[in-house]
Amino acid sequence: MNTADLVIIICVAGLVAAAVITLLRRKRKGTSCCGNCSGCGMSCDKREQTEK
């Protein structure tokens, strides 16, 4: 492995970490959506629209 490989691996790991952090923050705030409103326990605007 050379330096370019390490740089690419570090960039990919950073992007994955940023995605996980974003998902966790959205889940904590209650703004995430799994797309399965019928099995979801959250009360969001999207679920209220699909149940009507």
Side-chain angles (χ1 to χ4, degrees):
M1 284 178 39
N2 58 17
T3 307
D5 293 334
L6 292 175
V7 169
I8 291 172
I9 291 171
I10 290 170
C11 288
V12 169
L15 291 173
V16 169
V20 169
I21 289 169
T22 302
L23 289 173
L24 291 175
R25 284 184 182 169
R26 285 184 180 172
K27 186 75 169 176
R28 194 174 304 140
K29 285 173 42 178
T31 59
S32 64
C33 182
C34 65
N36 185 11
C37 291
S38 62
C40 181
M42 305 298 272
S43 59
C44 64
D45 293 334
K46 185 174 182 180
R47 181 173 179 181
E48 291 172 2
Q49 291 173 358
T50 58
E51 287 181 347
K52 289 182 180 178

